[in-house]
Amino acid sequence: MCKGLAALPHSCLERAKEIKTKLGTLLQKPDSAIDLVIPYNEKPAKPAKAQKPSSGEALQWRDSLDKLLQNNYGLASFQSFLKSEFSEENLEFWMACEDFKKTRSPDKIAEKARKIYEEFIRTEAPKEVNIDHFTKDLTERNLAEPSLSSFDVAQSRVHALMEKDSLPRFLRSELYQELVK
């Protein structure tokens, strides 16, 4: 049995990852299987600061994930929703990559690349994103000489995953349904 967070045995971490993977797989099943998942009762916090979109603007988010991510309120709403599901690592990785692409100092590029790798890409990273081995290996090779495009393939894969999996769940959420009323 797994006891105490400080001294988690390797097998406990493997088991936790296995459970996370199985839950992720369940959430990727067709809509009929989604209904079998017990919903998280606590409502996600409504985003603050950004101006609430019109219902017509919020309806456009159904067209593409990019339209949602380009809207500050939409991004904050999506992030809040993902946090309520304990699945915000993909969006956080995508946002970290967007920030990384704005870096101009070569020293900062290497430093930020290392931080992103440690937080999201390396095996057993605290917020490890679910990318295939080919993408992970390519990203690791890119980091031998970090550039602003080092994470492009991984970011693209994560974006596609969010568009296929997370966005449809968000569009069915009570939070989104309230926005389009």
Side-chain angles (χ1 to χ4, degrees):
M1 278 272 127
C2 302
K3 294 183 182 177
L5 292 176
L8 281 176
H10 187 66
S11 61
C12 289
L13 290 174
E14 288 174 1
R15 182 70 180 133
K17 280 201 174 243
E18 182 180 317
I19 291 169
K20 181 180 177 183
T21 301
K22 286 181 180 178
L23 285 173
T25 302
L26 178 61
L27 291 174
Q28 291 179 16
K29 298 287 183 200
D31 290 346
S32 59
I34 256 334
D35 297 333
L36 299 174
V37 178
I38 298 170
Y40 184 65
N41 289 333
E42 191 174 310
K43 284 186 179 180
K46 290 190 178 178
K49 297 182 185 171
Q51 181 158 342
K52 186 176 180 178
S54 68
S55 62
E57 190 175 5
L59 280 170
Q60 291 180 2
W61 300 344
R62 292 179 178 186
D63 297 339
S64 78
L65 178 60
D66 290 327
K67 287 183 181 181
L68 170 69
L69 297 175
Q70 291 167 1
N71 179 288
N72 288 337
Y73 197 94
L75 176 63
S77 298
F78 190 50
Q79 187 172 25
S80 179
F81 169 75
L82 292 174
K83 283 184 180 184
S84 76
E85 290 194 330
F86 305 101
S87 63
E88 68 271 16
E89 66 279 348
N90 286 339
L91 180 59
E92 289 181 10
F93 171 70
W94 182 87
M95 290 169 51
C97 291
E98 288 298 296
D99 178 63
F100 176 73
K101 290 177 189 177
K102 297 173 187 169
T103 308
R104 296 294 163 235
S105 161
D107 293 336
K108 290 274 187 199
I109 289 173
E111 179 185 333
K112 282 185 172 184
R114 184 189 54 75
K115 285 181 181 179
I116 291 171
Y117 174 79
E118 288 297 320
E119 188 171 3
F120 298 103
I121 303 293
R122 77 170 167 82
T123 303
E124 296 187 18
K127 297 178 181 180
E128 185 177 2
V129 291
N130 186 11
I131 54 176
D132 58 272
H133 290 291
F134 170 80
T135 303
K136 186 177 228 174
D137 291 343
L138 176 64
T139 304
E140 288 173 352
R141 285 194 307 272
N142 288 345
L143 294 177
E145 292 183 37
S147 73
L148 295 179
S149 62
S150 292
F151 296 102
D152 284 359
V153 174
Q155 185 184 21
S156 176
R157 296 275 201 278
V158 166
H159 183 279
L161 188 75
M162 288 191 299
E163 197 159 45
K164 177 184 168 204
D165 181 48
S166 305
L167 179 61
R169 289 195 323 271
F170 172 69
L171 295 175
R172 289 189 302 266
S173 74
E174 188 176 316
L175 177 63
Y176 178 74
Q177 295 302 316
E178 287 178 19
L179 285 172
V180 295
K181 281 184 182 176

